[in-house]
C-alpha cells in the first residue's frame, strides 16, 4: 500500500490535468492518438481519455464511465511505484510522480535522479520521508 501522500500527489496531478472539471476531463478527440485503443489515429476503437487515463494505454477500460476512484487505483497500482513514490521525500514524490504520469514511467525517476546528481541505478539514494 502506498503511503498516505500518494493520494495527495495524485489529486494534485488530477487538478493540473483538469480531472475535476465536468465529466472528469473526458475528451474524445479523433485527432488524438491516445484516444484510440490502437494508439494511432483511426486504429482500434475511439474511447477517449478521462482523469488522464487514456484508451491507448488501457484499451479494455470503459473510459467514458471511469470513476475517479478507479482512476486513483490505476495510478497507485501502475504509476506510483514506477515513480518510486514511497521512496522520495515530500515534494520530490510529487515532481517525480507527475513526470512519470505525463512523460512515461521510466522518465520521472530518471529526471529527478539526474537533477540531484546521482544515477537512476543507485536506487538507495532517495531518502524515505
Amino acid at each position: 500500500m502506498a503511503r498516505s501522500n500518494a493520494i495527495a500527489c495524485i489529486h494534485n496531478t488530477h487538478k493540473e490535468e483538469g480531472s475535476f472539471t465536468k465529466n472528469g476531463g473526458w475528451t474524445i478527440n479523433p485527432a488524438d492518438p491516445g484516444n484510440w485503443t490502437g494508439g494511432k489515429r483511426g486504429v482500434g476503437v475511439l474511447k477517449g481519455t478521462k482523469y488522464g487515463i487514456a484508451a491507448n494505454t488501457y484499451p479494455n477500460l470503459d473510459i467514458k464511465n471511469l470513476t475517479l476512484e478507479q482512476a486513483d487505483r490505476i495510478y497507485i497500482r501502475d504509476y506510483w511505484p514506477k515513480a518510486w513514490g514511497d521512496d522520495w521525500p515530500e515534494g520530490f514524490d510529487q515532481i517525480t510522480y507527475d513526470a512519470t504520469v505525463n512523460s512515461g514511467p521510466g522518465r520521472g525517476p530518471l529526471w529527478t535522479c539526474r537533477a540531484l546528481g546521482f544515477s537512476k541505478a543507485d536506487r538507495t539514494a532517495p531518502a524515505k520521508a
Side-chain angles (χ1 to χ4, degrees):
M1 179 66 182
R3 76 170 194 261
S4 61
N5 203 40
I7 290 296
C9 291
I10 290 165
H11 280 222
N12 284 336
T13 297
H14 277 316
K15 287 179 206 171
E16 294 300 318
E17 295 296 320
S19 294
F20 298 124
T21 60
K22 185 179 179 181
N23 297 324
W26 181 61
T27 60
I28 189 150
N29 179 355
D32 183 343
N35 284 203
W36 292 89
T37 58
K40 293 182 181 177
R41 289 173 51 184
V43 177
V45 179
L46 179 63
K47 289 188 172 184
T49 300
K50 186 174 183 183
Y51 302 120
I53 303 295
N56 68 322
T57 307
Y58 296 94
N60 297 320
L61 281 182
D62 179 1
I63 300 291
K64 183 177 181 180
N65 293 308
L66 186 70
T67 67
L68 181 64
E69 292 77 21
Q70 290 169 322
D72 287 349
R73 284 195 297 271
I74 290 168
Y75 284 126
I76 287 173
R77 181 190 72 215
D78 296 349
Y79 292 86
W80 186 255
K82 291 177 183 172
W84 307 347
D86 289 334
D87 296 332
W88 297 107
E90 194 169 322
F92 285 98
D93 55 357
Q94 176 68 64
I95 294 164
T96 307
Y97 166 76
D98 196 63
T100 298
V101 168
N102 287 300
S103 299
R107 293 185 178 151
L110 175 65
W111 291 341
T112 302
C113 287
R114 282 185 183 164
L116 294 171
F118 57 86
S119 164
K120 182 179 171 190
D122 182 10
R123 183 96 196 258
T124 62
K128 288 201 177 229

